[in-house]
Amino acid sequence: MSDCRRQWNREDELPVYLAKPIATGPNQRQKSHGMFSSVEGAYDNKTIDFDQYAVGRKGNRSSRSSSRERIVDGDFEDYEISGGTISSPGERDDGRPGVEITDQAEKECRYEQNNGKSERLLIKGGRVVNDDQSLYADVYVEDGIIKQVGENLIVPGGIKVIEANGCMVIPGGIDVNTCLHKSYLGTPPVDDFYQGTKAALAGGTTMIIDHVTPQPGDSLLEAFEKWQEAADKKSCCDYSLHVDIPHWHEGVKEELEQLVQEKGINSFQVYMAYKGLFQMPDSQLYEAFSFLKEQGAVVLVHAENGDLIAQEQSKILGMGITGPEGHPLSRPEELEAEAVFRAITLGNRVNCPVYITKVMSKSAADTVTNARKKGSVVFGEPITASIATDGSHYWSKNWVKAAAHVISPPLSPDPTTPDHLHSLLACGDLQVVGSGHCAYSTSQKAIGKDNFTLIPEGTNGVEERMGFVWDKAVAMGKMDENQFVAVTSTNAAKIFNLYPRKGRIAVGSDADIVIWDPDKIKTITTKAQQSALEYNIFEGMECRGGPVYVVSQGRIVFEEGKLQVQQGTGRFISRKPFPDIAYQRIKYRNKVMSKQGVSRGMYDGPVYDIPATPKYITPAPSAKTSPTTHQPPPIRNLHQSNFSLSGAQIDDNIPRRSGHRIVAPPGGRSNITSLG
Amino acid sequence: MSFQGKKNNPRVTSDKLIIKGGKIVNDDQSFYADIYMEDGTIKQIGENLIVPTGVKTVDAYGHIVIPGGIDVNTCLQAPHQGMTPADDFYHGTRAALAGGTTMIIDHVVPEAGTSLLAAYDQWRDTADNRSCCDYSLHIDITRWHDGLFEELEHLVKDKGVNSFLIFMAYKDKYQSSDTQIYEMFSAMRELGAIAQVHAENGDIIEEEQKNLLDLGITGPEGHVLSHPEEVETEAVYRAITIAKQANCPLYITKVMSKPAADVIAKARKKGMVIYGEPIAASLGTDGSHYWSKNWEKAAAFVMSPPLSPDTSTPDYLSSLLSCGDLQVTASAHCTFTTAQKAVGKDNFTLIPEGTNGIEERMSIVWDKAVATGKMDENDFVAVTSTNAAKIFNLYPRKGRIAVGSDADIVVWNTKETKTFSAKSHNLTVEMNIFEGMECRGFPVVVISQGRIVLEDGNLNVTEGSGRFIPRKAYPDFVYKRIKARGRMADARGVPRGNYDGPVHDVISMTKSVPATPTTRGPSCPGKTPLGPARNLHQSGFTLSGTQMDDHIPRRTSQKIVAPPGGRSNISSLS
């Protein structure tokens, strides 16, 4: 890794124009500035003390996976220790001096923590990879924004320089599917916004979109605020939120409108599974789709047929199967594919973009593919687990291992699934890779030790996501680096209307940048991970490709295997409705697809006189299908039942025509029925 | 031939007939032979037969002799909003015989919530008195509840019914939810019956209907706009998925569109036991007529699922029929007079659904598929008669010309053409959706129960001569594979030791051990929950916002259940 070594500490190697342009001595910087306001002393020569931000949990952080990138500077070792000695996450006080990394005259310069945001950075000598092209260029970052991209940039002196030395410079990953605050039976997941975003950053993901999961009956707005509060306090990287709609009713519309218009949410999840809890019947889905389309939101769908799952679960429990293998047995992939098909049909009918979360099986992915070929506006999201491992582990003798894989839809037992999903990602039939990260500890999983339906669902993957896409798809030659950027970041940014602020390295974009080393090899172990989980489902897997540096909001947060994050730095990124990639086509189709009737004259022929009151116009509410509840005997209208329901009549054999009343208009039948 | 049979009279059983000089076509082979029949049964097949003297001879030189057609989907009795179809059992079966169909299977449609058995008796009663050809009955399950299983059992075991229709459409009327469909499929599999499905997504249709009426579209074109192909396709796909889970054979009635047919073809390739039935209308015409300026004509085409506006559909369906991806042709004959259709003149959702086709079915298949070279005469026999007989367990009594089979035989003219028209058809309705269509191939002689009912263009039918043909459960053609799969498909658990690691202490234990309705149990998604049933003892805790200690790893709050003797647990295996 000698090509990636940093050399910015050497004053004598700096270009002339960078060397000491200003040396005015120590200056205190204030934290009172807004995020994007110009910062006093911004043009001063300075650099950042990363180690001050290091938040290893224990000393083992310092040795983790970074051994291949040694820093050549001798004096660097002086402060390398400091990163390892910082005690525990979330307990750091402001203003702790730590060790200054300054090669210039301002050794005494003290940093306030929050001023780190206005850091200026130059990333030199890397290959900038966007989803459309790759080019060799330097990137200059200031105030958390990319200010210049190009060669031979003119930048202020004394700024920090990252030598990328041929490594890839890519937009930071966006993980659009995490559940870091979703309680199960009242207990939160072990990875909360702090642990989860830390893990995300360590894996090269600089933004997450988390799912707000209110319970049925809860207010969506309140839930949203709860989530936002938790995330604002704890998140280490920028975040946004999806809101799940647990239950559809008229009242929810107002809240949705408010969320879209005022809160910056443009994506909502609906469930086709979890019968009796979140599941919606097709007519509600249709209404929800229609409404969300009007609002310009993206509809996320958890696609599984909940009715059938409930049946299968009771069947399998009845057979005495209680272990985690019951989970995939009760949720065969056909049920996923069926629901995907239905969701797409609904989307087509309503003319609404549909986003399928967690594409876990080949048949579901093929369904998405076929629909796209027919022109449907549908997006598919495989997750880390489905592209890196398979469902054979559900049959493991080790309960802990088997239970750790429990997620819905389940991993497919077909071992060729990951390969297939990669191929579809590479050719663009699937668009986004999420993680579905939702970490429950083994003891939480053990709530379902005697009944697989009680095992809380969720796997890890926020940290491993980018690495596995590289390892399984790019390193295998299935996809190129541009497509890699597209599926890990750009496509997500486009679909959820974050583009080009996120998902691209361009002037004006947020400085969420990852220096990616395609040859870095890392073995996934529970010990080395950031997540608080005791069991990593990718345990022992080797993964090529990984981040060397991660820059979030213009600050270096991951470097040499060390994380330097600070909780609460993550900002909520609001998203506008009507993302172009999803809605441009929809808008045109709306115009074209408007339906028109045939203009005919009035029908003036004979009309049959219906004897009984019309039943069809106002169906009795009792007939409403409620799948599980035992149907009460139908309420019959006693006034009419005598006639319509009786048995064979005496005159059954006489043709019915004699019973008509012919409504003939005066003046004869000069009717339209004889036209064309 | 003009014998007017009353129910009690013994039928004319002494009809002895010999058909000479024709080419006998079964679904597997064709050969030249004479057929001698007596007492309504085929007695001899071969050349130079020794037969009693004075036997009436039918000359079939130059024609083919085929088993009489079986039309497995008719509605000659089912009322629609209190209106009975214009063609009842008498007119309908008469038209059937005129077209070369010697047996029908009619749908019994009980009012939702009423007894299936009562409806069955009612249908039997009418049909026994009115039907001119042999018939059998499907029962439609218009509303499922657990108590119905016994009725089904009774019908299958004692009444000779082995097929039931389930509706995925007609919301709030006949529609069943996925759970109900699964239960019905399981019940039918247990009884050895065949599940038929009317496959359309009723939820979507209802929403679309509302939208269209709001837009001011009230004419028959609204019918096809509110029943798009996709909605049919989706339901077919879902029905297949459910049938796969329940390991139940599935029969899709009325395949009307290309994508729906494709879904069936694909499922068959994956090994599903599934059958698809295009009908005369979907093979003979298309849905462009819904936009006709003539309301009467447009309304005559109204049926569900609707005819596809895609004009290449008939061609496509006949291709799939030829290659065996679709198996059976039916007519879905259910006719209403123009005056009856006009009930929906201001609202297309009120137009009674149904088209004619019982008389034209065989000719249309011949013209579209055989005359065009898509299928041979043996396939023709298979799709018009033999496959249906096999699926519904009538084979080899029906659907085959063989010694011992019923003498339901058609002499088929393959060369000349016939034109369909409302003026010349044997129905009571004023409109014929195949008006003006010229078809090659039509029956010259039709023999039903050993008696000639059509000869020289003269129809001589006897009201009430039709017999009810009971059908046994577990047709081999369908159930052999299902049975084998039932034995194979047992899921097995993994034998593990007991998990003895720590278990998270759920605050309210009542919640985890038996799944309460709040979390997993079934409840009714269709209804507004009365506010979620929350356990008030715990809700204060579980749903509150961020906690002070959220950032502390949760392990501290666990209760560790450690067995005495240390944790010699299974979590460290493998």
Side-chain angles (χ1 to χ4, degrees):
Chain A
M1 290 318 306
S2 59
D3 53 345
C4 281
R5 74 182 53 131
R6 301 182 316 162
Q7 298 177 322
W8 51 269
N9 276 25
R10 297 191 178 166
E11 187 184 342
D12 50 350
E13 285 184 18
L14 285 175
V16 175
Y17 58 84
L18 281 179
K20 297 190 190 175
I22 309 161
T24 53
N27 51 1
Q28 294 279 3
R29 303 185 65 195
Q30 301 302 313
K31 61 181 277 185
S32 57
H33 297 289
M35 219 162 274
F36 296 106
S37 60
S38 71
V39 176
E40 188 189 344
Y43 292 94
D44 288 1
N45 189 11
K46 62 183 175 286
T47 184
I48 194 165
D49 173 6
F50 334 86
D51 288 308
Q52 195 173 28
Y53 298 101
V55 268
R57 279 181 300 185
K58 287 282 173 279
N60 62 14
R61 277 283 160 267
S62 59
S63 62
R64 179 179 155 275
S65 71
S66 61
S67 53
R68 316 173 105 249
E69 298 154 38
R70 293 249 58 95
I71 286 90
V72 286
D73 287 300
D75 55 347
F76 194 81
E77 280 149 21
D78 293 341
Y79 39 79
E80 192 178 1
I81 318 113
S82 65
T85 53
I86 287 170
S87 54
S88 72
E91 292 174 10
R92 259 163 0 90
D93 294 325
D94 278 2
R96 199 180 53 79
V99 182
E100 311 281 350
I101 312 173
T102 47
D103 50 325
Q104 312 281 327
E106 322 125 80
K107 284 269 184 198
E108 291 98 317
C109 164
R110 291 189 165 248
Y111 272 110
E112 301 269 343
Q113 291 297 316
N114 289 332
N115 278 349
K117 282 178 186 162
S118 60
E119 184 174 352
R120 290 182 294 176
L121 263 182
L122 180 67
I123 299 167
K124 278 197 74 174
R127 192 163 82 253
V128 174
V129 179
N130 275 321
D131 67 321
D132 53 347
Q133 60 172 357
S134 312
L135 70 162
Y136 285 92
D138 301 343
V139 179
Y140 172 66
V141 172
E142 193 180 313
D143 294 340
I145 307 258
I146 296 171
K147 293 287 186 191
Q148 296 178 55
V149 177
E151 291 178 68
N152 305 321
L153 302 178
I154 298 168
V155 295
I159 59 166
K160 194 155 71 180
V161 177
I162 297 176
E163 280 290 349
N165 277 347
C167 279
M168 287 164 49
V169 179
I170 60 174
I174 302 176
D175 186 343
V176 293
N177 188 349
T178 63
C179 293
L180 302 178
H181 197 64
K182 177 187 179 186
S183 301
Y184 178 73
L185 296 180
T187 60
V190 289
D191 284 342
D192 60 3
F193 273 110
Y194 174 65
Q195 291 285 349
T197 52
K198 224 171 71 168
L201 288 170
T205 296
T206 54
M207 172 162 184
I208 61 161
I209 309 188
D210 200 68
H211 278 278
V212 177
T213 52
Q215 291 297 306
D218 290 359
S219 153
L220 300 189
L221 274 171
E222 279 170 25
F224 165 76
E225 277 156 15
K226 221 185 282 176
W227 252 259
Q228 198 181 20
E229 194 192 330
D232 277 340
K233 251 190 243 160
K234 295 193 175 178
S235 181
C236 311
C237 66
D238 287 352
Y239 72 96
S240 189
L241 296 171
H242 304 297
V243 177
D244 294 7
I245 305 175
H247 174 241
W248 184 257
H249 52 92
E250 282 299 308
V252 91
K253 287 185 178 175
E254 251 174 59
E255 289 195 309
L256 291 178
E257 196 169 348
Q258 208 177 338
L259 283 168
V260 172
Q261 303 295 339
E262 296 164 20
K263 302 293 185 182
I265 304 289
N266 70 2
S267 51
F268 298 91
Q269 171 147 319
V270 294
Y271 291 89
M272 301 172 82
Y274 303 107
K275 185 170 169 185
L277 192 62
F278 300 132
Q279 186 178 333
M280 291 186 197
D282 291 354
S283 48
Q284 288 183 9
L285 289 172
Y286 189 100
E287 281 175 33
F289 280 34
S290 308
F291 183 77
L292 291 173
K293 172 199 163 188
E294 274 166 40
Q295 298 296 321
V298 179
V299 182
L300 316 181
V301 178
H302 178 110
E304 281 183 296
N305 189 318
D307 277 11
L308 293 184
I309 290 171
Q311 293 283 341
E312 294 288 324
Q313 281 180 340
S314 57
K315 189 172 107 191
I316 283 170
L317 284 174
M319 292 165 73
I321 297 175
T322 58
E325 68 277 11
H327 184 71
L329 287 175
S330 62
R331 305 175 106 100
E333 65 175 71
E334 283 99 343
L335 305 193
E336 186 192 351
E338 187 280 315
V340 170
F341 194 93
R342 186 149 42 101
I344 291 170
T345 305
L346 281 160
N348 286 347
R349 290 324 304 163
V350 178
N351 189 23
C352 165
V354 174
Y355 180 98
I356 309 288
T357 59
K358 297 193 220 163
V359 173
M360 305 298 281
S361 66
K362 284 160 84 168
S363 42
D366 287 341
T367 307
V368 172
T369 304
N370 289 337
R372 287 179 64 86
K373 294 215 168 85
K374 287 184 189 152
S376 304
V377 184
V378 55
F379 306 100
E381 167 206 281
I383 65 167
T384 318
S386 62
I387 60 170
T389 181
D390 61 61
S392 56
H393 304 288
Y394 290 116
W395 280 265
S396 165
K397 291 269 189 194
N398 181 347
W399 191 93
V400 172
K401 184 179 176 190
H405 285 80
V406 168
I407 183 173
S408 283
L411 291 160
S412 167
D414 180 348
T416 59
T417 305
D419 248 12
H420 189 75
L421 295 180
H422 283 297
S423 302
L424 293 185
L425 272 174
C427 72
D429 282 345
L430 298 173
Q431 293 73 39
V432 180
V433 181
S435 72
H437 190 91
C438 184
Y440 291 107
S441 67
T442 301
S443 64
Q444 281 173 316
K445 292 258 181 190
I447 290 168
K449 71 189 167 63
D450 301 319
N451 181 347
F452 64 87
T453 64
L454 297 175
I455 300 173
E457 293 164 352
T459 57
N460 60 308
V462 73
E463 184 173 358
E464 298 84 357
R465 184 179 68 101
M466 309 239 329
F468 277 125
V469 177
W470 186 274
D471 181 65
K472 306 266 177 188
V474 187
M476 304 293 284
K478 280 196 173 172
M479 97 179 25
D480 60 22
E481 56 195 23
N482 302 101
Q483 183 69 5
F484 171 74
V485 170
V487 300
T488 55
S489 175
T490 312
N491 287 349
K494 284 179 178 168
I495 293 170
F496 295 107
N497 228 358
L498 296 160
Y499 191 80
R501 181 174 174 187
K502 303 280 183 189
R504 187 168 184 85
I505 294 184
V507 174
S509 296
D510 275 4
D512 287 351
I513 297 170
V514 172
I515 318 290
W516 188 265
D517 178 1
D519 298 319
K520 179 175 164 181
I521 293 183
K522 179 180 170 185
T523 304
I524 313 273
T525 64
T526 314
K527 288 188 190 98
Q529 76 191 2
Q530 296 293 331
S531 161
L533 268 183
E534 309 98 310
Y535 194 93
N536 189 319
I537 60 167
F538 309 108
E539 183 77 36
M541 293 176 77
E542 229 176 47
C543 183
R544 259 164 304 178
V548 189
Y549 298 90
V550 176
V551 177
S552 168
Q553 299 177 23
R555 293 186 307 114
I556 298 179
V557 291
F558 180 79
E559 168 183 33
E560 315 292 334
K562 286 196 303 270
L563 263 180
Q564 301 147 36
V565 298
Q566 188 187 4
Q567 58 176 322
T569 50
R571 301 164 296 181
F572 174 74
I573 309 287
S574 74
R575 296 173 290 134
K576 290 214 174 79
F578 295 105
D580 271 352
I581 195 175
Y583 268 93
Q584 246 177 15
R585 286 175 287 172
I586 297 286
K587 282 178 192 163
Y588 278 105
R589 285 177 198 189
N590 261 351
K591 283 182 210 156
V592 181
M593 279 168 60
S594 64
K595 291 164 181 156
Q596 277 178 336
V598 177
S599 54
R600 298 186 182 89
M602 291 293 289
Y603 173 85
D604 49 6
V607 178
Y608 189 86
D609 189 28
I610 303 176
T613 48
K615 289 172 230 163
Y616 202 68
I617 302 171
T618 49
S622 65
K624 177 130 182 145
T625 50
S626 58
T628 49
T629 46
H630 190 80
Q631 289 282 1
I635 299 167
R636 280 165 55 185
N637 182 344
L638 293 178
H639 294 296
Q640 71 183 52
S641 62
N642 275 343
F643 185 89
S644 61
L645 298 177
S646 57
Q649 300 291 321
I650 295 242
D651 59 348
D652 268 351
N653 54 351
I654 301 169
R656 278 284 153 188
R657 313 195 68 183
S658 56
H660 301 174
R661 180 197 290 170
I662 305 296
V663 182
R669 299 165 80 221
S670 62
N671 58 21
I672 57 153
T673 50
S674 51
L675 291 176
Chain B
M1 292 298 102
S2 61
F3 177 82
Q4 285 292 317
K6 294 224 175 72
K7 198 62 207 164
N8 301 333
N9 284 9
R11 286 202 186 80
V12 185
T13 50
S14 58
D15 263 341
K16 292 176 187 167
L17 267 180
I18 183 160
I19 302 174
K20 283 198 157 172
K23 179 161 77 160
I24 297 176
V25 178
N26 274 323
D27 68 321
D28 53 347
Q29 59 172 351
S30 312
F31 54 93
Y32 286 92
D34 300 342
I35 306 169
Y36 172 69
M37 63 203 83
E38 197 181 313
D39 296 340
T41 313
I42 296 171
K43 295 290 187 191
Q44 295 179 55
I45 294 174
E47 292 175 59
N48 308 319
L49 300 179
I50 300 165
V51 296
T53 50
V55 167
K56 183 173 165 59
T57 304
V58 174
D59 181 6
Y61 285 101
H63 298 314
I64 62 172
V65 180
I66 57 176
I70 301 176
D71 188 340
V72 292
N73 187 350
T74 64
C75 285
L76 301 177
Q77 166 92 359
H80 187 276
Q81 305 167 52
M83 297 182 286
T84 42
D87 293 314
D88 62 2
F89 269 108
Y90 172 69
H91 293 103
T93 52
R94 195 165 163 266
L97 289 169
T101 296
T102 56
M103 173 162 184
I104 61 160
I105 309 186
D106 199 67
H107 279 278
V108 176
V109 189
E111 279 291 320
T114 58
S115 155
L116 302 184
L117 279 167
Y120 167 84
D121 289 338
Q122 187 190 338
W123 253 256
R124 275 295 302 275
D125 202 43
T126 316
D128 281 342
N129 283 317
R130 309 272 294 158
S131 179
C132 311
C133 68
D134 288 351
Y135 73 97
S136 190
L137 297 172
H138 305 295
I139 311 271
D140 296 7
I141 303 178
T142 43
R143 182 173 300 154
W144 173 252
H145 51 89
D146 290 335
L148 224 46
F149 183 82
E150 279 157 34
E151 284 201 55
L152 294 190
E153 196 173 8
H154 188 48
L155 284 165
V156 170
K157 297 207 166 133
D158 308 325
K159 299 290 184 181
V161 174
N162 73 359
S163 49
F164 299 91
L165 177 69
I166 294 164
F167 292 93
M168 299 171 85
Y170 303 112
K171 188 166 180 207
D172 296 340
K173 199 173 170 212
Y174 298 149
Q175 186 175 333
S176 299
S177 70
D178 291 358
T179 310
Q180 290 171 324
I181 295 171
Y182 182 93
E183 286 170 2
M184 285 186 266
F185 281 1
S186 305
M188 289 182 204
R189 189 195 120 55
E190 213 169 295
L191 295 168
I194 295 148
Q196 297 186 302
V197 167
H198 177 113
E200 282 184 295
N201 187 319
D203 281 8
I204 299 181
I205 290 170
E206 196 193 58
E207 300 286 340
E208 300 266 325
Q209 284 179 338
K210 274 189 235 157
N211 289 349
L212 286 163
L213 289 175
D214 286 349
L215 283 172
I217 298 176
T218 58
E221 68 277 9
H223 179 74
V224 67
L225 290 173
S226 61
H227 292 67
E229 291 182 5
E230 279 180 306
V231 170
E232 182 191 355
T233 313
E234 187 281 314
V236 171
Y237 194 101
R238 184 149 43 98
I240 291 171
T241 308
I242 302 173
K244 169 102 191 279
Q245 288 309 307
N247 190 24
C248 175
L250 182 65
Y251 181 98
I252 308 284
T253 60
K254 295 190 236 172
V255 175
M256 304 298 282
S257 67
K258 285 156 73 169
D262 279 338
V263 170
I264 294 169
K266 263 185 215 151
R268 287 179 64 84
K269 293 206 171 78
K270 285 185 190 153
M272 284 287 302
V273 182
I274 177 178
Y275 306 98
E277 163 205 284
I279 65 168
S282 62
L283 291 166
T285 181
D286 60 63
S288 55
H289 304 286
Y290 290 114
W291 281 267
S292 165
K293 289 271 188 194
N294 181 347
W295 190 92
E296 189 182 1
K297 184 179 177 195
F301 283 82
V302 168
M303 70 170 308
S304 282
L307 290 158
S308 168
D310 182 345
T311 50
S312 61
T313 305
D315 231 20
Y316 192 80
L317 293 180
S318 55
S319 299
L320 290 189
L321 201 54
S322 311
C323 72
D325 281 346
L326 299 173
Q327 294 74 36
V328 180
T329 55
S331 70
H333 188 89
C334 182
T335 47
F336 294 96
T337 62
T338 302
Q340 286 174 323
K341 293 257 181 191
V343 166
K345 70 186 167 67
D346 300 319
N347 180 346
F348 64 86
T349 63
L350 298 178
I351 301 173
E353 294 168 352
T355 57
N356 62 305
I358 198 167
E359 186 174 356
E360 298 85 358
R361 180 179 68 103
M362 308 255 302
S363 292
I364 286 171
V365 176
W366 185 275
D367 183 70
K368 295 281 175 187
V370 188
T372 55
K374 281 188 178 173
M375 62 167 72
D376 58 27
E377 54 198 22
N378 304 97
D379 291 336
F380 172 73
V381 169
V383 301
T384 55
S385 176
T386 313
N387 287 349
K390 285 179 176 169
I391 292 170
F392 294 106
N393 225 359
L394 297 160
Y395 192 80
R397 180 174 175 188
K398 303 279 185 190
R400 186 167 184 84
I401 295 181
V403 175
S405 297
D406 275 4
D408 287 352
I409 293 173
V410 173
V411 179
W412 190 261
N413 182 333
T414 60
K415 297 178 187 82
E416 287 164 68
T417 62
K418 186 180 171 184
T419 305
F420 299 131
S421 166
K423 293 185 188 80
S424 59
H425 69 198
N426 291 291
L427 302 168
T428 59
V429 284
E430 308 92 322
M431 291 293 293
N432 187 322
I433 60 167
F434 306 108
E435 187 74 38
M437 189 172 159
E438 220 182 30
C439 269
R440 279 156 290 191
F442 62 90
V444 192
V445 178
V446 177
I447 298 164
S448 168
Q449 298 176 27
R451 293 187 309 111
I452 297 177
V453 291
L454 176 78
E455 193 178 22
D456 304 329
N458 298 320
L459 208 49
N460 298 302
V461 298
T462 313
E463 186 172 347
S465 61
R467 301 165 295 182
F468 174 74
I469 312 286
R471 295 173 291 133
K472 290 216 173 77
Y474 292 108
D476 270 355
F477 189 66
V478 176
Y479 263 92
K480 263 187 194 160
R481 286 178 286 171
I482 295 285
K483 281 179 189 163
R485 287 176 201 187
R487 288 193 290 272
M488 287 299 294
D490 278 343
R492 247 170 291 180
V494 176
R496 295 187 183 93
N498 278 321
Y499 173 83
D500 50 3
V503 178
H504 197 94
D505 190 24
V506 182
I507 295 101
S508 141
M509 283 311 289
T510 49
K511 214 170 174 185
S512 72
V513 184
T516 59
T518 6
T519 52
R520 298 272 180 176
S523 84
C524 168
K527 283 183 193 154
T528 320
L530 327 147
R534 276 165 59 185
N535 181 342
L536 291 178
H537 294 296
Q538 70 181 59
S539 63
F541 185 90
T542 56
L543 297 178
S544 57
T546 46
Q547 302 290 323
M548 288 291 279
D549 59 349
D550 267 355
H551 62 275
I552 301 170
R554 276 285 149 185
R555 313 197 68 182
T556 49
S557 66
Q558 278 152 219
K559 182 197 282 177
I560 306 294
V561 182
R567 300 164 78 220
S568 61
N569 60 22
I570 58 149
S571 49
S572 51
L573 290 177
S574 80

